[in-house]
Amino acid sequence: MMKTMDLKGPEKDRLLKELKERGTVDFKDYQDAVQTILDKVSVTGDQALLEYTKQFDGIDLSAKGLKVTEEEVDEAYSLVSEEFLRAIRLAIDNITDYHEKQRQNSWFTSSEGTMLGQKITPIASVGIYVPGGTAAYPSSVLMNAIPAKVAGVERIVMVTPPNKEGKLAAGVLVAAKELGIEEIYKVGGAQAIGALAYGTNTIAKVNKIVGPGNIYVATAKREVYGYVDIDMIAGPSEILVIADASANPKYVAADLLSQAEHDELSSAIFITTSEDLGKAVAVEVAKQTAKLERKSIVEKSLINYGKIILVKDLEEAIDLSNEIAPEHLELCVEKPFELLDQVKNAGAIFLGHYAPEPLGDYLAGPNHVLPTSGTAKFYSPLSVEDFIKKSSVIYYNQKALEKVKNEVMTLAETEGLTAHKNSIKVRFE
Amino acid sequence: MMKTMDLKGPEKDRLLKELKERGTVDFKDYQDAVQTILDKVSVTGDQALLEYTKQFDGIDLSAKGLKVTEEEVDEAYSLVSEEFLRAIRLAIDNITDYHEKQRQNSWFTSSEGTMLGQKITPIASVGIYVPGGTAAYPSSVLMNAIPAKVAGVERIVMVTPPNKEGKLAAGVLVAAKELGIEEIYKVGGAQAIGALAYGTNTIAKVNKIVGPGNIYVATAKREVYGYVDIDMIAGPSEILVIADASANPKYVAADLLSQAEHDELSSAIFITTSEDLGKAVAVEVAKQTAKLERKSIVEKSLINYGKIILVKDLEEAIDLSNEIAPEHLELCVEKPFELLDQVKNAGAIFLGHYAPEPLGDYLAGPNHVLPTSGTAKFYSPLSVEDFIKKSSVIYYNQKALEKVKNEVMTLAETEGLTAHKNSIKVRFE
């Protein structure tokens, strides 16, 4: 299923072009439908939410209400296993520990009558979109909410679409409760994004919206961007595995497949210095795919975007990876730490033979919300930084201002901004 | 010119609504024209740049070329004053010192067979747009390029439109040279943004585009967003001054006017606990405006958006300011440091009677690229952070993975992602 290619000069450019031309959805096709929904939510508020929930999710919540009750949360706990609870608590501990290290403090410096600083404040309120239905991912609750919590965000709101019985996935509710999220609403789609951006009687508006969603949700986030802040719009998932002869083809194949199962648009690329390993991985991929539940998605993803690329050395492998800027990069090589410094562009880097990508998805600690589609050239994983903002602070006393007054006036003058100049001048008349 | 209002209960909501309904330009009106330009640049490259430069800037550069030569930079030095050179060098020192404090380092932690980290890498290449003509601002070169330089960006490219003689403003060229920027192109407008985003034979593409520009430039930045990263799209400038009876009405008026002169859409708001001071500032504003070069802009801005607001105490003033989330906030009060902690939302905060806003525009050190239009609720000043990106790093050895293998598999299983589960499982068969 995976095409193998030998990387030579002219081939490389063609390959890069091909890798970059991955299909993406065109938001423009959805803009009108989404705008209609957003407009209605902004005008009629809760009424629109209830109508759309009836229409799209097949449940009339007008009697029961949109907000999740304490009883529902209690019920959710009775539905999850002890293993799940233990696992989610370990994940929360690890993810919290990692994100605590990202915390930044305000700082101030002073010298000769001046004080400068950078003041850090958490964003006041954040809405987290959590997909519903078959794609109900408790891990997504953790990865979006924990950095907000660590940042000190006061109000964290969760929205997620109910099923036809008006219920939410137990794992998602438990994950939210474990993090202390009390404000949970049964509403999904573009209408949920509208509620978070404009506010309704039931749902007060927030300052920032994060979390993954389908094309309607993503389009709605783009549309409300500016009224509120949003996180990155994520593209399909990607993994790039670089391996030398020390790698186990079974492990490599399994890791490639773990991303291919996400989506038909997902991409799994394998770069190796060993022709034998390339062949063995191809065989393993076919063998393991046959046994997978999501086999048909995996096959399509591999046929479309799967690649095995042979290179002459690891340096060439890393160069190619830096061009591709993958979301997930595994270095399944004998000495991964020696390569780390050469990696310039990647969302998350997994080192050695026992750090498979799913470890990072769930439990190691770093965030699993990562830049896709080559945007690791300029974007970073979701972090505490995304939930704070900074203010510059400037204090000068009279003597300190007098020392630099001529320089400020010269620069204002050069730029033709005489009222700027005047604000210095009046202080010394 | 400035309307005075007493802040009472119902009045407050109306006021906030009014303050937020400031006119903004609709990008949609410019999208078609801009898209045509971008398409042409992406297809014909340099040829399109030369044609549009001839059409919009009135100069044919096909013989002289787009790139600024060393001779032109030398000539620029001969055109600026010694005072200017001294001022710009002081500004560079102060701005560099401040931004050095924003530098972040990669970090790594390890325990029991695991290592986690966050690796910091500078963005490889950045394009800085610098407006031309009457709005040629050397300070803008400093504020956009210095954080990139401190971040370690390897390639910094500057683009700016030439005048009818094919020349650039001397102050802008000198500012660039002082920062070591060698790659400067005479091209402006949407065509310059297209060149930076897609690349041409002369101008290689960049990863991120920053810097202010007119509506065509701003629209073009929005359109190429995704191919490359961009900075914030800045709205019109804003100042909010909070003062108690200790303030000097002359100073307050001058500071309000310094922002009003930027643009007819600029907003200058004054909030005070002292009715007498309110009256005195209104008189001073009228008096000083009469003498200003940019009087007609100032008058329009003040009539449209200027306000003097009386409040009962400073706490109420700060609450209102936090709602407005101004770009620039001056605390012209007796004890500004005591109020600082209550300020939640503001781009830059100026403390006391001798820290006028223009000091921050040019020379104090903090960046003058700040969030506008209330976006200080979720955005920060331009900083070194905007020119780096992070990669998460995860290493586990076999024993460490074995310890958590059941938890990872439980979570993958819960989410129905069996290939994720399998990537752990194969490692322990």
Side-chain angles (χ1 to χ4, degrees), chain A residues 98 102 117-119 139 225 229 255 258 261-262 340 343-347 349 351 353 358 361-362 377 379-381 389-392 394 415 419-420 423 427, chain B residues 98 102 117-119 139 225 229 255 258 261 340 343-347 349 351 353 358 361-362 377-381 389-392 394 415 419-420 423 427:
Chain A
Y98 183 88
Q102 294 176 330
Q118 182 171 276
K119 184 177 188 287
S139 65
Y225 177 55
D229 191 22
D255 296 357
S258 76
E261 82 170 330
H262 270 298
L340 185 55
V343 177
K344 302 292 179 208
N345 307 317
I349 308 164
L351 304 178
H353 301 308
D361 272 352
Y362 292 113
K377 286 187 180 175
Y379 287 143
S380 304
K389 66 233 164 39
K390 301 163 198 159
S391 303
S392 311
I394 300 174
E415 299 191 351
H420 280 64
S423 96
R427 282 168 162 86
Chain B
Y98 182 88
Q102 294 176 332
Q118 182 171 274
K119 183 176 188 287
S139 65
Y225 176 54
D229 191 23
D255 297 357
S258 76
E261 83 170 329
L340 185 56
V343 177
K344 302 291 178 207
N345 307 317
I349 308 164
L351 303 178
H353 302 307
D361 272 352
Y362 291 114
K377 286 186 180 175
F378 39 82
Y379 287 143
S380 305
K389 67 231 163 42
K390 300 162 198 157
S391 303
S392 311
I394 300 174
E415 300 192 348
H420 280 63
S423 96
R427 282 168 162 87

Coordinates of all heavy atoms in Angstrom, one line a residue, chain A residues 98 102 117-119 139 225 229 255 258 261-262 340 343-347 349 351 353 358 361-362 377 379-381 389-392 394 415 419-420 423 427, chain B residues 98 102 117-119 139 225 229 255 258 261 340 343-347 349 351 353 358 361-362 377-381 389-392 394 415 419-420 423 427:
Chain A
Y98 N 3.9 18.8 33.2 CA 4.6 19.3 32.0 C 4.2 20.8 31.8 O 5.1 21.6 31.5 CB 4.3 18.5 30.8 CG 5.0 18.9 29.5 CD1 6.3 18.4 29.2 CD2 4.5 19.9 28.6 CE1 7.0 18.9 28.1 CE2 5.2 20.3 27.5 CZ 6.4 19.8 27.2 OH 7.1 20.2 26.1
Q102 N 5.7 25.4 31.7 CA 5.6 26.5 30.7 C 5.1 27.8 31.3 O 5.1 28.8 30.6 CB 4.6 26.1 29.7 CG 5.0 24.9 28.8 CD 3.9 24.4 27.9 OE1 2.7 24.6 28.2 NE2 4.3 23.9 26.8
G117 N 8.7 46.7 32.5 CA 8.2 45.3 32.9 C 7.3 44.7 31.9 O 7.0 45.3 30.8
Q118 N 7.0 43.4 32.1 CA 6.1 42.7 31.3 C 5.2 42.0 32.3 O 5.6 41.1 33.1 CB 6.9 41.7 30.5 CG 6.0 40.9 29.6 CD 6.8 40.0 28.6 OE1 7.2 40.5 27.5 NE2 7.0 38.8 28.9
K119 N 3.9 42.4 32.2 CA 2.9 41.9 33.2 C 2.1 40.8 32.5 O 1.6 40.9 31.4 CB 2.0 43.0 33.6 CG 0.9 42.8 34.6 CD 0.2 44.1 34.9 CE -0.8 43.9 36.1 NZ -2.0 43.1 35.8
S139 N -9.3 12.6 26.0 CA -7.9 13.1 26.0 C -8.0 14.6 25.4 O -7.1 15.4 25.8 CB -7.0 12.3 25.1 OG -7.4 12.2 23.8
Y225 N -13.5 34.7 14.5 CA -12.1 35.1 14.8 C -12.0 36.6 14.7 O -12.3 37.2 13.6 CB -11.1 34.4 13.8 CG -9.7 34.8 13.9 CD1 -9.1 34.7 15.2 CD2 -9.0 35.3 12.9 CE1 -7.7 35.1 15.3 CE2 -7.7 35.7 13.0 CZ -7.0 35.6 14.2 OH -5.7 35.9 14.3
D229 N -10.6 35.3 20.3 CA -9.5 34.6 19.7 C -9.8 33.1 19.5 O -10.7 32.6 20.1 CB -8.3 34.8 20.7 CG -7.0 34.3 20.1 OD1 -6.9 34.3 18.8 OD2 -6.0 34.0 20.8
D255 N 3.4 2.3 14.5 CA 3.4 3.7 14.7 C 2.8 4.4 13.5 O 2.0 5.4 13.6 CB 4.8 4.2 15.1 CG 5.3 3.6 16.4 OD1 4.5 2.8 17.0 OD2 6.4 3.9 16.8
S258 N -0.9 4.0 13.5 CA -1.6 4.7 14.5 C -2.1 6.1 14.0 O -3.1 6.6 14.5 CB -0.8 4.9 15.8 OG 0.2 5.9 15.6
E261 N -4.9 5.7 11.0 CA -6.3 5.4 11.3 C -7.2 6.6 11.6 O -8.4 6.5 11.7 CB -6.3 4.4 12.5 CG -6.2 5.0 13.9 CD -6.5 4.0 15.0 OE1 -7.3 3.1 14.8 OE2 -5.9 4.2 16.1
H262 N -6.5 7.7 11.8 CA -7.3 8.9 12.2 C -8.3 9.3 11.1 O -9.5 9.7 11.4 CB -6.4 10.1 12.4 CG -6.0 10.2 13.9 ND1 -6.9 10.4 14.9 CD2 -4.7 10.2 14.4 CE1 -6.2 10.4 16.0 NE2 -4.9 10.3 15.8
L340 N 18.8 15.3 17.7 CA 17.8 16.2 18.1 C 18.1 17.7 17.7 O 17.2 18.4 17.3 CB 17.7 16.1 19.7 CG 16.6 16.9 20.3 CD1 15.2 16.6 19.7 CD2 16.5 16.7 21.8
V343 N 17.0 18.9 14.3 CA 15.6 19.0 14.0 C 15.2 20.5 14.2 O 15.3 21.0 15.3 CB 14.7 18.1 14.9 CG1 13.3 18.3 14.6 CG2 15.1 16.6 14.7
K344 N 14.7 21.1 13.1 CA 14.3 22.5 13.2 C 12.8 22.6 13.3 O 12.3 23.4 14.0 CB 14.8 23.3 12.0 CG 16.3 23.2 11.7 CD 17.0 24.0 12.8 CE 18.5 23.9 12.6 NZ 19.3 24.0 13.9
N345 N 12.1 21.8 12.5 CA 10.6 22.0 12.3 C 9.9 20.7 12.6 O 9.9 19.8 11.8 CB 10.3 22.5 10.9 CG 11.1 23.8 10.5 OD1 11.3 24.7 11.3 ND2 11.6 23.8 9.3
A346 N 9.2 20.7 13.7 CA 8.3 19.5 14.1 C 7.5 19.9 15.3 O 7.9 20.6 16.2 CB 9.2 18.3 14.4
G347 N 6.2 19.4 15.3 CA 5.4 19.7 16.4 C 5.8 19.0 17.7 O 6.1 19.6 18.7
I349 N 8.6 15.7 19.0 CA 9.6 14.8 18.6 C 9.7 13.6 19.5 O 9.8 13.9 20.8 CB 11.0 15.6 18.6 CG1 10.9 16.9 17.7 CG2 12.1 14.7 18.0 CD1 12.0 17.9 18.0
L351 N 11.7 10.2 20.7 CA 13.1 9.7 20.6 C 13.2 8.3 21.0 O 12.7 7.9 22.0 CB 14.0 10.5 21.5 CG 14.0 12.1 21.3 CD1 14.9 12.7 22.3 CD2 14.5 12.4 19.9
H353 N 13.2 3.9 20.5 CA 12.3 2.8 20.1 C 11.2 2.6 21.0 O 10.3 1.8 20.8 CB 13.1 1.5 20.0 CG 14.3 1.6 19.0 ND1 14.1 2.1 17.7 CD2 15.6 1.4 19.1 CE1 15.2 2.1 17.1 NE2 16.2 1.7 17.9
P358 N 1.5 7.4 20.2 CA 0.3 7.4 21.1 C 0.6 7.6 22.6 O -0.2 8.1 23.3 CB -0.2 5.9 20.9 CG 0.1 5.6 19.5 CD 1.5 6.2 19.4
D361 N 0.1 11.2 22.7 CA -1.3 11.5 22.5 C -2.0 11.6 23.9 O -3.0 12.3 24.1 CB -2.0 10.5 21.7 CG -1.9 10.8 20.2 OD1 -1.4 11.9 19.9 OD2 -2.3 10.0 19.4
Y362 N -1.6 10.6 24.8 CA -2.4 10.4 26.0 C -1.8 10.8 27.3 O -2.5 11.3 28.2 CB -2.8 8.9 26.0 CG -3.8 8.5 25.0 CD1 -3.4 7.6 24.0 CD2 -5.1 9.1 24.9 CE1 -4.3 7.3 23.0 CE2 -6.0 8.7 23.9 CZ -5.6 7.8 23.0 OH -6.5 7.5 22.0
K377 N 6.7 25.0 10.8 CA 7.8 26.0 10.5 C 7.6 27.3 11.3 O 8.5 28.1 11.4 CB 7.8 26.3 9.0 CG 8.4 25.1 8.2 CD 8.5 25.5 6.8 CE 9.1 24.3 6.0 NZ 9.2 24.5 4.6
Y379 N 4.5 27.6 13.8 CA 3.6 27.4 15.0 C 4.1 26.4 16.0 O 5.0 25.6 15.7 CB 2.2 26.9 14.5 CG 1.4 27.9 13.8 CD1 0.6 27.6 12.7 CD2 1.4 29.3 14.2 CE1 -0.2 28.5 12.1 CE2 0.6 30.2 13.5 CZ -0.2 29.8 12.5 OH -0.9 30.8 11.8
S380 N 3.6 26.5 17.2 CA 4.0 25.7 18.3 C 2.9 24.8 18.8 O 1.7 25.1 18.5 CB 4.5 26.6 19.4 OG 5.5 27.5 19.0
P381 N 3.2 23.8 19.6 CA 2.1 23.0 20.3 C 1.2 24.0 21.1 O 1.7 25.0 21.6 CB 2.9 22.1 21.2 CG 4.2 21.9 20.6 CD 4.5 23.3 19.9
K389 N -1.9 36.6 28.4 CA -1.5 37.7 27.6 C -0.6 38.6 28.4 O -0.6 38.5 29.6 CB -2.7 38.4 27.0 CG -3.5 39.2 28.0 CD -4.9 38.8 28.0 CE -5.6 39.2 29.2 NZ -5.3 40.4 29.9
K390 N 0.1 39.4 27.7 CA 1.1 40.3 28.3 C 0.8 41.7 28.1 O 0.2 42.1 27.1 CB 2.5 40.0 27.7 CG 2.9 38.6 27.8 CD 4.1 38.3 26.9 CE 4.2 36.8 26.7 NZ 5.0 36.5 25.4
S391 N 1.1 42.5 29.1 CA 1.1 44.0 29.0 C 2.5 44.5 29.3 O 3.1 44.1 30.2 CB 0.1 44.6 30.0 OG -1.2 44.0 29.9
S392 N 2.9 45.5 28.4 CA 4.2 46.1 28.7 C 3.9 47.2 29.8 O 2.9 47.8 29.9 CB 4.7 46.9 27.5 OG 4.7 46.0 26.4
I394 N 5.7 50.7 31.6 CA 6.7 51.7 31.5 C 6.5 52.8 32.6 O 5.5 53.4 32.6 CB 6.6 52.4 30.1 CG1 6.8 51.3 29.0 CG2 7.7 53.5 30.0 CD1 6.6 51.9 27.6
E415 N 9.3 61.5 11.9 CA 8.2 60.8 11.4 C 7.0 61.8 11.1 O 5.9 61.3 10.7 CB 7.8 59.7 12.3 CG 8.9 58.7 12.5 CD 8.5 57.4 13.2 OE1 7.4 57.3 13.7 OE2 9.3 56.4 13.2
A419 N 2.3 66.0 17.2 CA 1.6 65.9 18.5 C 2.3 64.9 19.4 O 2.3 65.1 20.7 CB 0.2 65.5 18.3
H420 N 3.0 63.9 18.8 CA 3.8 63.1 19.6 C 5.0 63.9 20.3 O 5.2 63.7 21.5 CB 4.4 62.0 18.8 CG 3.5 60.8 18.5 ND1 2.4 61.0 17.8 CD2 3.6 59.5 18.8 CE1 1.7 59.8 17.7 NE2 2.4 58.9 18.3
S423 N 3.9 66.1 23.2 CA 3.6 65.5 24.5 C 4.9 65.4 25.4 O 4.8 65.3 26.6 CB 3.0 64.1 24.4 OG 3.9 63.0 24.5
R427 N 6.0 68.9 28.9 CA 6.4 68.5 30.2 C 7.7 69.3 30.6 O 8.1 69.2 31.8 CB 6.7 67.0 30.3 CG 5.4 66.2 30.4 CD 5.5 64.7 30.1 NE 4.4 64.0 30.6 CZ 3.3 63.7 29.9 NH1 3.2 64.2 28.7 NH2 2.3 63.0 30.4
Chain B
Y98 N 15.3 45.4 26.3 CA 14.0 45.0 26.8 C 13.7 43.6 26.2 O 13.3 42.7 26.9 CB 12.9 46.0 26.4 CG 11.6 45.6 26.9 CD1 11.2 46.0 28.2 CD2 10.7 44.8 26.2 CE1 9.9 45.6 28.7 CE2 9.4 44.5 26.6 CZ 9.0 44.9 27.9 OH 7.8 44.5 28.4
Q102 N 12.9 38.8 27.1 CA 11.8 37.9 26.6 C 12.3 36.6 26.1 O 11.5 35.7 25.8 CB 11.0 38.6 25.5 CG 10.2 39.8 26.0 CD 9.5 40.5 24.9 OE1 9.9 40.4 23.7 NE2 8.4 41.2 25.2
G117 N 10.8 17.5 27.2 CA 11.4 18.8 27.0 C 10.6 19.7 26.1 O 9.6 19.3 25.5
Q118 N 11.0 20.9 26.0 CA 10.5 21.9 25.0 C 11.6 22.5 24.4 O 12.4 23.2 25.0 CB 9.6 22.9 25.8 CG 8.9 23.9 24.9 CD 8.0 24.8 25.7 OE1 6.8 24.4 25.9 NE2 8.4 25.9 26.2
K119 N 11.7 22.3 23.0 CA 12.9 22.8 22.3 C 12.4 24.1 21.5 O 11.4 24.1 20.9 CB 13.2 21.7 21.2 CG 14.4 22.0 20.4 CD 14.6 20.7 19.5 CE 16.0 20.8 18.7 NZ 16.0 21.8 17.6
S139 N 10.9 54.0 13.2 CA 10.6 53.3 14.5 C 9.9 51.9 14.2 O 10.0 51.0 15.0 CB 9.7 54.1 15.4 OG 8.5 54.4 14.9
Y225 N -2.5 34.3 4.8 CA -2.4 33.6 6.1 C -2.7 32.1 6.0 O -3.7 31.7 5.5 CB -3.4 34.3 7.0 CG -3.5 33.7 8.4 CD1 -2.4 33.5 9.2 CD2 -4.7 33.3 8.9 CE1 -2.5 33.0 10.5 CE2 -4.9 32.8 10.2 CZ -3.7 32.6 11.0 OH -3.8 32.1 12.2
D229 N 2.8 32.5 8.2 CA 2.2 33.1 9.4 C 2.2 34.6 9.2 O 3.0 35.2 8.4 CB 2.9 32.7 10.7 CG 2.2 33.1 11.9 OD1 0.9 33.2 11.9 OD2 2.8 33.2 13.0
D255 N -1.1 64.2 25.6 CA -1.0 62.7 25.4 C -2.2 62.2 24.6 O -2.0 61.3 23.8 CB -0.9 62.0 26.8 CG 0.4 62.4 27.5 OD1 1.2 63.1 26.9 OD2 0.6 61.9 28.6
S258 N -1.7 63.0 21.1 CA -0.6 62.3 20.4 C -1.2 61.0 19.7 O -0.7 60.6 18.7 CB 0.5 61.9 21.3 OG 0.1 60.8 22.2
E261 N -3.8 62.2 16.6 CA -3.2 62.6 15.3 C -2.9 61.5 14.3 O -2.7 61.7 13.1 CB -1.9 63.4 15.5 CG -0.7 62.6 15.7 CD 0.6 63.5 15.7 OE1 0.7 64.5 15.0 OE2 1.6 63.1 16.4
L340 N -1.6 49.2 39.5 CA -1.1 48.3 38.4 C -1.7 46.9 38.5 O -2.1 46.3 37.5 CB 0.5 48.2 38.5 CG 1.1 47.5 37.4 CD1 0.8 48.0 36.0 CD2 2.7 47.5 37.6
V343 N -5.0 46.3 36.8 CA -5.2 46.4 35.4 C -5.1 45.0 34.8 O -4.1 44.2 35.0 CB -4.1 47.2 34.8 CG1 -4.2 47.2 33.2 CG2 -4.1 48.6 35.3
K344 N -6.1 44.5 34.1 CA -6.2 43.2 33.5 C -5.9 43.2 32.0 O -5.2 42.4 31.5 CB -7.5 42.5 33.8 CG -7.9 42.4 35.2 CD -7.1 41.4 36.0 CE -7.5 41.4 37.5 NZ -6.4 41.0 38.3
N345 N -6.5 44.2 31.3 CA -6.5 44.2 29.9 C -5.9 45.5 29.3 O -6.6 46.5 29.4 CB -7.8 43.9 29.3 CG -8.5 42.6 29.9 OD1 -7.8 41.6 30.0 ND2 -9.8 42.7 30.2
A346 N -4.7 45.5 28.8 CA -4.1 46.7 28.2 C -2.9 46.3 27.4 O -2.2 45.4 27.9 CB -3.8 47.7 29.2
G347 N -2.6 46.9 26.3 CA -1.4 46.5 25.5 C -0.2 47.0 26.2 O 0.7 46.2 26.5
I349 N 1.1 49.8 29.5 CA 0.6 50.6 30.6 C 1.7 51.6 31.0 O 2.9 51.2 31.2 CB 0.4 49.7 31.9 CG1 -0.6 48.5 31.5 CG2 -0.2 50.5 33.0 CD1 -0.6 47.3 32.5
L351 N 3.0 54.5 33.5 CA 2.8 54.9 34.9 C 3.3 56.3 35.3 O 4.5 56.6 35.0 CB 3.5 53.9 35.8 CG 3.1 52.4 35.6 CD1 3.9 51.5 36.6 CD2 1.6 52.2 35.8
H353 N 3.3 60.7 35.8 CA 3.2 61.9 35.0 C 4.3 62.1 34.0 O 4.2 63.0 33.2 CB 3.1 63.1 36.0 CG 1.9 63.0 37.0 ND1 0.6 62.7 36.5 CD2 1.9 63.0 38.3 CE1 -0.2 62.6 37.6 NE2 0.6 62.8 38.7
P358 N 4.2 58.6 23.8 CA 5.3 58.6 22.7 C 6.7 58.1 23.2 O 7.5 57.6 22.4 CB 5.3 60.1 22.3 CG 3.9 60.6 22.6 CD 3.6 59.9 23.9
D361 N 6.5 54.7 22.3 CA 6.5 54.5 20.8 C 7.9 54.4 20.3 O 8.1 53.7 19.3 CB 5.8 55.7 20.1 CG 4.3 55.6 20.0 OD1 3.8 54.5 20.3 OD2 3.6 56.5 19.6
Y362 N 8.8 55.1 20.9 CA 10.1 55.3 20.2 C 11.3 54.7 21.0 O 12.2 54.1 20.4 CB 10.4 56.8 20.1 CG 9.5 57.4 19.0 CD1 8.6 58.4 19.4 CD2 9.6 57.0 17.7 CE1 7.8 59.0 18.4 CE2 8.8 57.6 16.7 CZ 7.9 58.6 17.1 OH 7.1 59.1 16.2
K377 N -7.7 41.9 25.4 CA -8.3 40.8 26.3 C -7.7 39.4 26.0 O -7.8 38.5 26.8 CB -9.8 40.8 26.1 CG -10.5 41.9 26.8 CD -12.0 41.8 26.7 CE -12.7 43.0 27.3 NZ -14.2 42.9 27.2
F378 N -7.1 39.3 24.8 CA -6.5 38.0 24.5 C -5.2 38.0 23.8 O -4.5 37.0 23.6 CB -7.5 37.0 23.8 CG -8.4 37.7 22.8 CD1 -7.9 37.9 21.5 CD2 -9.7 38.1 23.1 CE1 -8.7 38.5 20.5 CE2 -10.5 38.7 22.1 CZ -10.0 38.9 20.8
Y379 N -4.8 39.2 23.3 CA -3.5 39.3 22.6 C -2.5 40.1 23.4 O -2.8 40.9 24.3 CB -3.7 40.0 21.2 CG -4.4 39.2 20.2 CD1 -5.3 39.8 19.3 CD2 -4.2 37.9 20.1 CE1 -6.0 39.1 18.3 CE2 -4.8 37.1 19.1 CZ -5.7 37.7 18.3 OH -6.4 37.0 17.3
S380 N -1.2 40.0 22.9 CA -0.1 40.6 23.6 C 0.7 41.5 22.7 O 0.5 41.4 21.5 CB 0.8 39.5 24.1 OG 0.2 38.5 24.9
P381 N 1.5 42.3 23.2 CA 2.4 43.1 22.3 C 3.3 42.2 21.5 O 3.6 41.0 21.9 CB 3.3 43.9 23.3 CG 2.5 43.9 24.6 CD 1.7 42.6 24.6
K389 N 9.4 29.2 17.6 CA 8.4 28.2 17.8 C 9.0 27.0 18.6 O 10.2 26.9 18.8 CB 7.9 27.6 16.4 CG 9.0 26.9 15.7 CD 9.1 27.4 14.3 CE 10.4 27.0 13.7 NZ 10.9 25.6 13.9
K390 N 8.1 26.2 19.2 CA 8.5 25.2 20.1 C 8.2 23.8 19.5 O 7.2 23.7 18.8 CB 7.7 25.4 21.4 CG 8.0 26.7 22.1 CD 6.9 27.0 23.1 CE 6.9 28.5 23.5 NZ 5.5 28.9 24.0
S391 N 9.0 22.9 19.9 CA 8.7 21.5 19.6 C 8.7 20.7 21.0 O 9.6 20.9 21.8 CB 9.8 20.8 18.7 OG 9.9 21.5 17.5
S392 N 7.7 19.9 21.2 CA 7.8 19.0 22.4 C 8.8 17.9 22.1 O 8.9 17.4 21.0 CB 6.4 18.4 22.7 OG 5.4 19.4 22.6
I394 N 9.9 14.0 23.6 CA 9.5 12.9 24.5 C 10.5 11.7 24.3 O 10.6 11.2 23.2 CB 8.1 12.4 24.1 CG1 7.1 13.5 24.4 CG2 7.7 11.2 25.0 CD1 5.7 13.2 23.9
E415 N -11.3 5.5 23.3 CA -11.5 6.4 22.2 C -11.7 5.6 20.9 O -11.9 6.2 19.8 CB -10.4 7.4 22.1 CG -10.3 8.2 23.4 CD -9.4 9.5 23.3 OE1 -8.7 9.6 22.3 OE2 -9.5 10.3 24.2
A419 N -5.5 1.1 16.5 CA -4.1 1.1 16.0 C -3.2 1.9 17.0 O -2.0 1.6 17.1 CB -4.1 1.8 14.6
H420 N -3.8 2.9 17.7 CA -3.0 3.6 18.7 C -2.7 2.6 19.8 O -1.5 2.5 20.2 CB -3.9 4.7 19.3 CG -3.9 6.0 18.5 ND1 -4.4 6.0 17.3 CD2 -3.4 7.2 18.8 CE1 -4.3 7.3 16.8 NE2 -3.7 8.0 17.7
S423 N 0.1 0.1 18.8 CA 1.5 0.6 18.8 C 2.2 0.4 20.1 O 3.4 0.3 20.2 CB 1.6 2.1 18.3 OG 1.7 2.9 19.4
R427 N 5.1 -3.6 21.2 CA 6.4 -3.5 21.9 C 6.5 -4.4 23.1 O 7.6 -4.5 23.6 CB 6.5 -2.0 22.3 CG 6.9 -1.1 21.1 CD 6.8 0.3 21.5 NE 7.6 1.2 20.5 CZ 7.1 1.6 19.4 NH1 5.8 1.3 19.0 NH2 7.8 2.4 18.6

